[in-house]
Amino acid sequence: MLLKTKPADVFVDRHNGPDDTAVAEMLRTIGVESIDQLIDETVPAAIRLKKPLNLPAALTERAFLAKFKQIAGKNRLFKNYIGLGYHDTQLPAVIQRNILENPGWYTAYTPYQAEIAQGRLEALINYQTMIIDLTGLEIANASLLDEGTAAAETLHMFHSLSKKKNATRYFVSEQVLPQTIDVLRTRATPLGIELVVGNHRTFDLTDESLFGAILQYPAADGAVYDYTDFISKAHDHGLFVTVAADLMSLTLLTPPGEMGADAVVGNSQRFGVPMGYGGPHAGFLATKDAFKRVIPGRIIGQSIDAAGNKAYRMALQTREQHIRREKATSNICTAQVLLSVLAGMYAVYHGPQRIKQFASNIHGLTQTLAGALSDLGLNQRNEFYFDTLDIKLESVELQNAIKLEAEAAGINFRYFEEHGSPRVGISLNQNTEIEDVRDIVAVFSKVLGKDAPAVELPAEVSVNWTDNLIRTSEYLTHPIFNSHHSEHEMLRYMKQLENKDLSLAHSMISLGSCTMKLNATAEMIPVTWPEIGGLHPFAPREQAQGYAEIFKDLEAWLCEVTGFAAVSLQPNSGAQGEYAGLLAIKGYHDARGDQHRNVALIPASAHGTNPASAVMAGMQVVVVKSTEEGNIDVADLKAKAEQYADKLSCLMVTYPSTHGVYEETIIDICQTIHNHGGRVYMDGANMNAQVGLTSPATIGADVCHLNLHKTFCIPHGGGGPGVGPIGVVADLAPYLPGHVLVDADGRTYGAVTSAPWGSASILPISYAYINMMGGEGLTQATRIAILNANYIKARLEEHYPVLYTGSNGRCAHEMILDCRQFKKAGIEVEDIAKRLMDYGFHAPTVSFPVAGTLMVEPTESESKEELDRFIEAMIGIRKEIAEVEAGRADAKDNMLKHAPHTAAAVLTHEWTRPYSREQAVYPTEYARAYKFWPTVARIDSAYGDRNLICSCTPLEQYVDAEEQLVPTDKGPSY
């Protein structure tokens, strides 16, 4: 007997769903001989790559993890006392294992189908309540991308609200975190807003050109100020005031809301989320109830379901850019859900007493350190402080000596200059112990040549703050923060919430434009390694050589995939990538003296963030028509390119198109823009249909953002985190984002996020994916994605019209099923979406890009068996619709209108509906065997908007006040 030897454990076979037998069966159903034939009939020959991707050979999971352990080992874990919004912390192990490392939490999608997302929604209500309580304000959103983004969002919000028509100046305290000022400047400049940076104690607020101000609490140097008088005077002159605050400090310090602040922003990182070299972390934004109609981002609210039971859903202006498009005041269409959940669970687990104890310990140790340094003769400048000391030094030479000695001891401080004098900043944290304080004192005593004073942990310390700085109001009083303090109770609570949510652990989530694919365990494992999570983003770069290698390789690989010359990993969402890409184009035009080029051509079918991002970048949006086939109207595009030739900045285009087709005119379209002096921005939402077959550069694009949380396997995390790096051609490379604190390859152009490399700690996921797939594997993934989509199309097109196809009748990696004809029978697309829950599925994308349709994207990771199960469900629902159409089922009292069906609904004593309980909840044999039960019936969103409840406060405390609010959109998440 002869035995063949070949690799037996190939990762691509783990990633792609269909095996060879399944592929052959699917090809027969589609009516082609091979995948090659299918690809030839789908992807235009003119845009096909001429050679395969030049990427490293694929590694097995075992080989990759061994390699990555070596890379991660190049990162050096120092004790970090740098501060500036990033602090060492401790994520409780029970939360790490059961949420952060749990695919039941990290593979879920944005909770647009709220009935099967009640667990995440409750966790986000907890987070919002935590933010409201600690900041002293009335409403909070379900997180933003980071602190800098949150601060920039309030700048936009208050600029749009200002009644001072000609006010274009915004005061920024010089003690706001430097990276926040950097992001504010980036966001303000395109809108003609001038930042005025100065001293809040001496600044003249009577200037009529001012519309707002932002302060830091505690300040960047650690000083704590009472801002009550400043805020009062600002209000007297018609200014809005934002305060950027540290959540941990607010357990002891008077919250800014009680000082009169209009908004409070910040970062919830120190509530258990690892520093991760900068992210991802959940930024927060709280504001007054008066601003609830304009607060950016997602807000979770409480409503009722069809049975009158409490239920949660996204509320208010969620995803407002999809409705208002170029009139939107924000392009934010995502959140940091997984990180918000972690921070909220930290508060649930520890409760107010333990968190206050953390804060007390931090402050007590900081006082102890201050006393010891004073005994050494050092000048500590902060009269009032929480966790940060500001040491004024006599010389730069002394500062350098301290740095040298500290780093030799494995310690990082902050080194900076203020008003001409060298300083050392020291910020303590939750993990600081008395031994750490002794180590810090030892560094200074050695450099100064003095004996170290005795340092002992005091049993208690006296707080020297003035009375109006000491918090007296209660917080985290709701029972949810006072009930789960034992690990067993906490474990059960998290499991109860997890059981309410459908994720990829249950079934496929076939969301068009969202690419819900396998997030392999081997890709996820390194994320929680200390070598990845334990680095401060502003630590010396020589301590992060492992990260440097990851960044270098990943940038090179993404350049190969896109065909571009350079990549920035900084943008931490798709919408942020859009914005950064447009700024690169703007920077290019401005440098050439073409500041007048400000027109962005955008197809009518574009994702709503496109026009919103263009306006934020200071551009004028001109809409290009679509043909009846859904394609860009090339004649209209050429006419408008000619009309605006002198002002043309760019075209924003998605490819394959938003409607799931490879438009064959794309090269002509891009050339037209170039001929008129513009550049082409390609939205990378659909890169899963490009990788290895074509590329943005091949098509003629100049810049493209990549959704790493789609094409490159970073999980959606229930609605975030995301990562949206951008690739650019060579002449746009100088205009990629830089950073004020870290020299990122010589780039000085403004930052779009707080951290130099954005959400650095989850980049290893995409790094792992590319490593284990290799060039051939990535290409095969694209081919299988197209195969899976066309298989579903072939099986369903006799039941549901497929709205758009290419010239050969093929779709790309997704398709649009037209459900509008069912309206004649009273069936809405929403009814189909809700009925799919009874079959055990999350709905495809609802009513985007065309109202009344479903956009289906199966991805390459789904097996034929799973595709067939989804197809069976869709055919079953079509038969149920036919019953209504024929009059055999009542138009209002039928299974679709009452979907989803809960266990409580079918276990009722009297069943009065004209269909059986079994038909309601067991429509297939699979559902009978593996039933996923929605925990609430169909939710009444209108009721929730009339009775807005965005915290854990009991329902009876609210009156039924009518609100005219922007409706919730169900489009894809960026």
Side-chain angles (χ1 to χ4, degrees):
M1 180 175 67
L2 296 176
L3 298 177
K4 292 184 178 180
T5 59
K6 65 177 183 177
D9 192 13
V10 180
F11 179 77
V12 68
D13 295 336
R14 307 290 193 195
H15 179 81
N16 291 336
D19 60 18
D20 291 344
T21 301
V23 168
E25 293 174 3
M26 294 162 72
L27 291 171
R28 283 195 294 271
T29 300
I30 295 169
V32 292
E33 295 294 324
S34 64
I35 295 182
D36 287 340
Q37 181 186 344
L38 174 64
I39 299 303
D40 289 342
E41 293 179 3
T42 304
V43 185
I47 64 168
R48 293 286 298 275
L49 296 179
K50 307 304 183 202
K51 58 182 181 179
L53 293 175
N54 182 21
L55 294 172
L59 299 176
T60 64
E61 294 182 16
R62 184 171 64 87
F64 166 73
L65 288 171
K67 170 189 173 182
F68 197 81
K69 195 69 177 175
Q70 291 181 328
I71 295 173
K74 298 177 184 179
N75 291 333
R76 301 170 64 195
L77 294 178
F78 279 35
K79 292 289 182 75
N80 285 291
Y81 306 109
I82 299 169
L84 292 179
Y86 302 94
H87 304 268
D88 205 4
T89 184
Q90 184 65 47
L91 177 62
V94 66
I95 300 176
Q96 176 172 319
R97 173 63 61 87
N98 293 285
I99 293 183
L100 181 56
E101 297 176 345
N102 182 352
W105 284 91
Y106 66 67
T107 70
Y109 183 59
T110 303
Y112 294 131
Q113 298 299 331
E115 293 84 355
I116 50 176
Q118 288 297 294
R120 266 167 295 139
L121 289 165
E122 180 173 329
L124 291 173
I125 281 280
N126 295 344
Y127 174 83
Q128 290 177 180
T129 303
M130 176 187 80
I131 300 300
I132 289 167
D133 282 5
L134 291 174
T135 60
L137 281 167
E138 296 152 330
I139 192 169
N141 64 19
S143 80
L144 288 170
L145 302 177
D146 55 30
E147 182 166 344
T149 304
E153 291 294 330
T154 60
L155 179 148
H156 282 277
M157 181 172 78
F158 291 139
H159 184 244
S160 68
L161 288 174
S162 178
K163 295 179 180 178
K164 300 166 76 172
K165 293 183 178 179
N166 298 316
T168 59
R169 304 178 85 211
Y170 190 69
F171 172 72
V172 180
S173 166
E174 61 191 3
Q175 284 297 332
V176 168
L177 299 179
Q179 69 269 23
T180 299
I181 297 177
D182 199 10
V183 173
L184 284 170
R185 184 168 284 112
T186 299
R187 293 280 290 270
T189 302
L191 300 178
I193 296 172
E194 178 189 356
L195 296 190
V196 185
V197 180
N199 188 329
H200 79 273
R201 291 169 291 185
T202 59
F203 191 75
D204 179 12
L205 294 172
T206 64
D207 185 347
E208 279 302 305
S209 66
L210 291 169
F211 67 87
I214 184 169
L215 310 163
Q216 192 80 38
Y217 183 70
D221 64 6
V224 175
Y225 299 103
D226 178 6
Y227 292 125
T228 305
D229 288 345
F230 179 96
I231 294 170
S232 178
K233 290 176 183 176
H235 287 166
D236 289 343
H237 294 94
L239 276 65
F240 296 102
V241 180
T242 296
V243 176
D246 176 278
L247 276 188
M248 187 65 76
S249 74
L250 298 186
T251 63
L252 300 178
L253 289 168
T254 298
E258 294 178 16
M259 293 180 179
D262 298 294
V264 180
V265 299
N267 184 351
S268 55
Q269 177 267 319
R270 72 188 308 176
F271 272 42
V273 182
M275 289 183 290
Y277 208 42
H281 305 132
F284 65 83
L285 192 164
T287 190
K288 295 177 178 177
D289 185 72
F291 306 131
K292 64 180 173 233
R293 297 189 192 183
V294 293
I295 183 173
R298 294 175 178 158
I299 306 172
I300 308 306
Q302 179 180 304
S303 187
I304 58 173
D305 72 359
N309 299 312
K310 181 178 77 173
Y312 300 114
R313 91 283 183 251
M314 293 197 293
L316 289 185
Q317 306 225 46
T318 296
R319 316 278 317 295
E320 66 143 1
Q321 77 284 352
H322 260 298
I323 301 151
R324 302 190 66 209
R325 299 178 71 81
E326 69 271 12
K327 295 180 181 178
T329 56
S330 169
N331 75 338
I332 292 292
C333 77
T334 189
Q336 296 282 25
V337 171
L338 191 64
L339 296 314
S340 306
V341 169
L342 294 178
M345 288 300 179
Y346 178 95
V348 169
Y349 188 45
H350 289 310
Q353 289 80 19
R354 201 181 297 167
I355 293 176
K356 185 176 181 179
Q357 190 61 60
F358 290 150
S360 300
N361 294 345
I362 292 168
H363 182 65
L365 288 170
T366 307
Q367 273 203 32
T368 302
L369 175 60
L373 295 180
S374 178
D375 290 346
L376 287 171
L378 291 165
N379 183 3
Q380 200 287 117
R381 299 288 296 169
N382 292 333
E383 179 183 6
F384 303 130
Y385 54 83
F386 166 61
D387 64 355
T388 302
L389 304 178
D390 176 11
I391 310 299
K392 183 178 180 180
L393 302 175
E394 296 177 355
S395 67
V396 173
E397 289 76 17
L398 179 57
Q399 185 186 56
N400 290 336
I402 292 169
K403 183 175 187 293
L404 189 65
E405 183 61 34
E407 291 181 0
I411 292 172
N412 287 325
F413 300 132
R414 179 191 176 203
Y415 305 96
F416 62 109
E417 182 180 290
E418 189 167 310
H419 304 302
S421 64
R423 305 290 181 97
V424 174
I426 309 172
S427 293
L428 304 190
N429 56 68
Q430 178 190 342
N431 292 343
T432 304
E433 305 284 355
I434 191 65
E435 291 81 5
D436 299 311
V437 175
R438 293 183 183 123
D439 291 342
I440 294 170
V441 173
V443 167
F444 284 89
S445 61
K446 185 173 182 179
V447 172
L448 295 171
K450 297 181 179 181
D451 292 334
V455 177
E456 301 298 334
L457 180 65
E460 58 184 25
V461 295
S462 176
V463 177
N464 72 331
W465 305 333
T466 58
D467 289 345
N468 53 349
L469 285 174
I470 298 175
R471 180 164 196 154
T472 58
S473 56
E474 294 185 311
Y475 50 87
L476 304 183
T477 57
H478 192 276
I480 202 68
F481 300 108
N482 296 279
S483 304
H484 306 292
H485 298 163
S486 74
E487 180 167 334
H488 212 162
E489 284 301 310
M490 187 65 185
L491 173 65
R492 287 170 175 157
Y493 176 62
M494 292 185 293
K495 191 63 179 179
Q496 288 164 3
L497 295 191
E498 179 191 344
N499 289 343
K500 296 179 179 182
D501 284 13
L502 187 142
S503 71
L504 285 176
H506 298 92
S507 58
M508 69 183 288
I509 300 178
S510 57
L511 288 150
S513 191
C514 291
T515 317
M516 298 290 292
K517 64 205 293 182
L518 172 70
N519 312 123
T521 306
E523 296 161 5
M524 300 300 296
I525 284 174
V527 171
T528 52
W529 288 354
E531 300 95 323
I532 297 301
L535 273 74
H536 193 289
F538 306 142
R541 291 187 69 177
E542 58 267 21
Q543 295 172 20
Q545 290 305 300
Y547 265 118
E549 184 172 339
I550 294 167
F551 299 154
K552 180 181 178 182
D553 287 347
L554 193 52
E555 288 174 5
W557 298 343
L558 294 178
C559 282
E560 175 65 16
V561 166
T562 59
F564 286 136
V567 164
S568 168
L569 300 171
Q570 188 180 113
N572 55 4
S573 80
Q576 200 79 289
E578 287 180 7
Y579 180 67
L582 293 174
L583 287 186
I585 291 173
K586 184 180 187 303
Y588 166 82
H589 287 311
D590 289 352
R592 291 162 56 90
D594 289 339
Q595 291 88 348
H596 59 283
R597 288 193 172 272
N598 67 344
V599 168
L601 300 183
I602 302 179
S605 62
H607 190 281
T609 56
N610 284 185
S613 296
V615 170
M616 286 172 53
M619 296 182 183
Q620 174 190 346
V621 173
V622 174
V623 177
V624 177
K625 296 177 183 177
S626 296
T627 66
E628 290 186 4
E629 293 76 30
N631 297 324
I632 294 172
D633 186 326
V634 177
D636 186 57
L637 177 133
K638 290 188 173 183
K640 285 173 176 167
E642 180 71 31
Q643 178 183 352
Y644 295 99
D646 293 339
K647 298 173 63 179
L648 182 61
S649 174
C650 64
L651 166 72
M652 299 186 76
V653 62
T654 302
Y655 201 80
S657 63
T658 311
H659 57 285
V661 173
Y662 293 90
E663 296 187 45
E664 298 184 8
T665 57
I666 188 64
I667 292 178
D668 183 31
I669 286 170
C670 293
Q671 189 59 53
T672 297
I673 300 303
H674 290 152
N675 290 344
H676 290 89
R679 308 307 294 258
V680 176
Y681 165 88
M682 180 168 289
D683 186 317
N686 292 340
M687 272 299 295
N688 211 48
Q690 284 200 44
V691 179
L693 300 182
T694 184
S695 72
T698 300
I699 290 163
D702 300 291
V703 56
C704 176
H705 90 263
L706 304 169
N707 297 100
L708 298 192
H709 50 288
K710 296 182 181 183
T711 304
F712 295 94
C713 288
I714 291 176
H716 284 68
V723 182
I726 56 170
V728 295
V729 294
D731 57 354
L732 296 184
Y735 311 105
L736 290 172
H739 197 277
V740 67
L741 293 178
V742 177
D743 179 11
D745 303 320
R747 297 171 189 159
T748 57
Y749 211 65
V752 295
T753 63
S754 294
W757 290 276
S759 294
S761 69
I762 55 175
L763 293 176
I765 301 170
S766 298
Y767 188 85
Y769 174 62
I770 297 173
N771 249 293
M772 293 189 292
M773 292 290 278
E776 287 186 25
L778 291 178
T779 304
Q780 184 66 0
T782 308
R783 288 155 55 89
I784 296 296
I786 294 169
L787 171 71
N788 282 0
N790 279 277
Y791 175 69
I792 289 181
K793 173 184 171 293
R795 290 284 312 277
L796 287 183
E797 58 189 347
E798 64 180 280
H799 304 281
Y800 298 86
V802 175
L803 200 52
Y804 304 115
T805 60
S807 58
N808 294 314
R810 306 298 180 200
C811 64
H813 64 316
E814 60 189 1
M815 80 217 71
I816 298 174
L817 302 180
D818 193 351
C819 304
R820 293 173 294 183
Q821 71 273 24
F822 306 139
K823 290 174 70 73
K824 297 175 184 177
I827 301 298
E828 302 289 342
V829 69
E830 182 183 22
D831 300 324
I832 300 173
K834 302 308 180 188
R835 181 59 175 155
L836 271 167
M837 298 177 194
D838 291 329
Y839 284 81
F841 287 101
H842 192 291
T845 301
V846 176
S847 290
F848 177 84
V850 180
T853 67
L854 294 172
M855 184 158 62
V856 182
E857 180 183 351
T859 85
E860 69 276 10
S861 332
E862 300 301 342
S863 66
K864 179 178 179 295
E865 291 78 11
E866 185 71 358
L867 301 182
D868 286 337
R869 197 165 71 81
F870 173 75
I871 290 164
E872 179 188 12
M874 291 299 295
I875 293 173
I877 291 172
R878 181 64 185 94
K879 290 177 180 177
E880 293 168 1
I881 296 171
E883 292 290 301
V884 179
E885 290 173 325
R888 292 188 292 271
D890 187 85
K892 295 183 179 179
D893 191 8
N894 60 63
M895 287 182 284
L896 287 104
K897 288 295 183 184
H898 288 302
H901 296 84
T902 63
V906 297
L907 290 174
T908 184
H909 182 66
E910 286 191 34
W911 178 259
T912 60
R913 295 178 182 173
Y915 50 90
S916 71
R917 302 175 208 244
E918 186 176 45
Q919 288 175 305
V921 300
Y922 295 142
T924 63
E925 286 304 311
Y926 188 93
R928 182 185 297 276
Y930 303 103
K931 180 65 181 176
F932 179 86
W933 289 97
T935 53
V936 298
R938 193 174 305 196
I939 295 174
D940 185 341
S941 292
Y943 179 93
D945 282 346
R946 290 194 303 271
N947 304 274
L948 183 63
I949 303 172
C950 294
S951 69
C952 297
T953 308
L955 181 64
E956 56 267 24
Q957 294 188 15
Y958 285 78
V959 295
D960 190 341
E962 292 282 337
E963 292 286 348
Q964 298 298 317
L965 300 165
V966 177
T968 299
D969 180 80
K970 301 180 180 68
S973 168
Y974 271 37

